[in-house]
Amino acid sequence: MPRTEFISTGFYVPERVVKNDEFTQWMDTSDEWIKTRTGIAERHWVADHQATSDLAVEATKLALDRAGMQASDLDCIVFATLAGDYMMPGAGVFLQRKLGITNIPCLDVRNQCSGFLYGLSVADAWIRTGQYQRVLLVGAEIQSIGLDLTTRGRDMAVLFGDGAGVAILGPTSDEGRGVLSTHIFADGRYAELLWANLGGSANRPRLSAQQLEQGMHFPQMQGREVFKHASTRMPASVMESLTVNGLTTNDIKVLIPHQANMRISEMVQKQLGLRDDQVYNNIDRYGNTTAASIPIALDECVQSGKLKRGDLLVLTAFGSGFTWGSAAIRW
């Protein structure tokens, strides 16, 4: 049975850069307050004409060009996002249409910050079994247009940026390379600790002016509980991926954690006993881009030469649901 290799990667972020000082015109905050609590200095936000699939198109074109491929070479699209272009259908079909291709399946994955890892698990299974040969795995988000830009929503609003990252995946017979294993988890007991509780079938009515005035459509988070769970479950999932493959933390060349908050990444690093050079973070420049954060960071690692053939790459994420997971990859 073949393993799954990363053929190519790419990412795209919008041109508009929003620095911390810009938030002071909307809410009671400061650059120092944001940096101290999150590690974020700036993030990218979309222009009015951009939808989530538009960001994914740009990242995909870059990955295809680097791979010397055409969009018609793709067999399947797996699109991880919480911010589809519309309520329905999912964003995958709009990406497909914008790439000028038809007939291939498009699967939308709604696992928020863990979406890219969940999508990788699905794509890996398909490739290993021979169902598809070339899978486009996408993580793309637009959070900026759905934030409460007041002091009431400060804790969430300062965190998020927009962007897209993709990977083109395919089979390899090289036993020294590829996805070694993926590990995904969920615990719905904590669903309300990080959620947006408006617009779904549990609401009656689904949407009303009163609900909008109350801010029910904005994401809500109990930050301390999220921090506690993220900083323990992410390291635990990393250790599982290592143990299953007979590896240790000393074998890790690069760990890419989901870029939720720099303080969480620091705690994950501490729990695992990793050196600074083993952990890649870019949250200071992009903020939390949800499902896009891991593939954006991955492409930066690839393009900067931080990852070489044979290196052990480990990915880990945690997010709404709660959902979390990890993947071990021999580059």
Side-chain angles (χ1 to χ4, degrees), residues 78-101:
V78 179
F79 199 125
T81 186
L82 65 78
D85 295 16
Y86 304 98
M87 180 71 74
M88 65 175 187
V93 295
F94 293 103
L95 172 60
Q96 180 201 58
R97 185 170 72 184
K98 291 170 183 177
L99 291 173
I101 51 180

Side-chain angles (χ1 to χ4, degrees), residues 54-271:
D54 293 321
L55 309 189
V57 166
E58 298 304 319
T60 300
K61 287 179 178 178
L62 184 58
L64 287 169
D65 183 63
R66 288 170 175 167
M69 296 171 57
Q70 302 296 319
S72 58
D73 295 323
L74 299 172
D75 299 325
C76 178
I77 295 172
V78 179
F79 199 125
T81 186
L82 65 78
D85 295 16
Y86 304 98
M87 180 71 74
M88 65 175 187
V93 295
F94 293 103
L95 172 60
Q96 180 201 58
R97 185 170 72 184
K98 291 170 183 177
L99 291 173
I101 51 180
T102 58
N103 296 327
I104 67 170
C106 300
L107 173 67
D108 283 67
V109 177
R110 275 196 58 188
N111 286 94
Q112 289 64 250
C113 299
S114 303
F116 191 81
L117 280 178
Y118 267 71
L120 177 60
S121 183
V122 172
D124 179 47
W126 280 344
I127 290 170
R128 285 176 182 262
T129 58
Q131 185 163 353
Y132 300 110
Q133 297 292 305
R134 295 288 182 267
V135 177
L136 175 66
L137 176 58
V138 180
E141 302 287 6
I142 293 177
Q143 293 273 31
S144 61
I145 63 173
L147 300 174
D148 183 358
L149 296 179
T150 69
T151 300
R152 176 185 64 178
R154 174 180 59 186
D155 290 350
M156 292 287 280
V158 301
L159 292 173
F160 292 103
D162 305 332
V166 307
I168 300 174
L169 308 173
T172 178
S173 58
D174 185 345
E175 295 183 358
R177 300 188 62 219
V179 176
L180 304 180
S181 62
T182 61
H183 308 266
I184 51 177
F185 310 91
D187 192 337
R189 293 177 298 172
Y190 305 100
E192 292 85 0
L193 300 186
L194 177 54
W195 73 332
N197 67 333
L198 186 61
S201 63
N203 297 106
R204 301 291 191 280
R206 175 173 284 186
L207 188 65
S208 71
Q210 183 179 12
Q211 291 166 335
L212 292 174
E213 290 173 2
Q214 294 172 351
M216 291 176 61
H217 57 298
F218 294 124
Q220 303 167 46
M221 175 177 66
Q222 295 188 29
R224 290 184 180 180
E225 285 297 309
V226 172
F227 183 94
K228 180 178 70 175
H229 282 269
S231 60
T232 56
R233 295 185 187 270
M234 289 167 72
S237 69
V238 169
M239 291 307 302
E240 178 159 343
S241 70
L242 294 174
T243 301
V244 164
N245 293 289
L247 300 165
T248 72
T249 54
N250 291 328
D251 296 308
I252 297 175
K253 173 63 176 179
V254 181
L255 171 72
I256 299 178
H258 162 57
Q259 304 293 291
N261 184 308
M262 191 62 185
R263 307 306 159 230
I264 292 176
S265 294
E266 290 170 346
M267 184 60 70
V268 171
Q269 178 179 341
K270 181 180 179 181
Q271 294 278 1

Side-chain angles (χ1 to χ4, degrees), residues 9 11 66 253-257 259 277-282 285-286 293-308 311 313-315 331:
T9 59
F11 87 91
R66 288 170 175 167
K253 173 63 176 179
V254 181
L255 171 72
I256 299 178
Q259 304 293 291
D277 65 283
Q278 290 179 284
V279 182
Y280 189 81
N281 291 295
N282 61 7
R285 291 177 284 123
Y286 302 114
S293 78
I294 286 178
I296 288 174
L298 174 58
D299 187 57
E300 287 195 326
C301 286
V302 172
Q303 299 309 313
S304 67
K306 190 171 179 63
L307 278 171
K308 300 290 196 308
D311 285 344
L313 166 68
V314 178
L315 312 176
W331 196 254

